[in-house]
Each structure stands twice: as structure tokens, then as C-alpha cells.
Amino acid sequence: QGVRSQNDLILELLNKGPITPMDALTKINCMRLASRIDELKKHGHNIATEMVINGDTRYARYHLIG
């Protein structure tokens, strides 16, 4: 079975709903979600990026489309 890649774990999270960098950090210890999302997009996954602004905080929320 082996160790699953961060990309596999991110896809698993995306299949359950939108994820944010904080989700990725707390759930799968991924500190570079944007880079992993870029890799997944290059492998043909349709992922939308939504920018969330909450007061002075800005972050991305990623959604798997289809």
C-alpha cells in the first residue's frame, strides 16, 4: 500500500468539500497547498480558487469541480 502522497490526501479532502490552507495544515500537515493545487491542476483536475476576505485576513478556498 505504501505512503500516500500529499496530492492524494488533498484530493481526498477536496472530494469531501472545499479546503483552505489552514485545513491542509491542520489535517494533513501540508504547508504549501497552493503548490500542490497547481500540480493537481496540471494533472487534469478541475479545481476552482475562491479568494476569501475576512477582515484583514485573505486566503484561498479551493473547490473540486465536477
Side-chain angles (χ1 to χ4, degrees):
Q1 188 170 346
V3 176
R4 296 187 309 163
S5 72
Q6 277 190 341
N7 287 356
D8 291 337
L9 296 170
I10 289 165
L11 271 177
E12 191 175 294
L13 289 175
L14 281 166
N15 276 306
K16 295 175 184 174
I19 65 170
T20 65
M22 187 58 72
D23 295 329
L25 181 60
T26 59
K27 293 178 182 176
I28 61 170
N29 201 27
C30 173
M31 298 183 74
R32 300 192 63 220
L33 180 59
S35 296
R36 301 291 81 79
I37 292 291
D38 190 52
E39 291 170 2
L40 289 167
K41 286 180 176 181
K42 287 178 181 171
H43 283 97
H45 296 280
N46 190 3
I47 301 169
T49 305
E50 169 193 5
M51 290 310 297
V52 178
I53 300 169
N54 185 357
D56 292 335
T57 307
R58 244 183 80 142
Y59 58 93
R61 182 184 295 145
Y62 299 98
H63 304 262
L64 188 60
I65 307 298

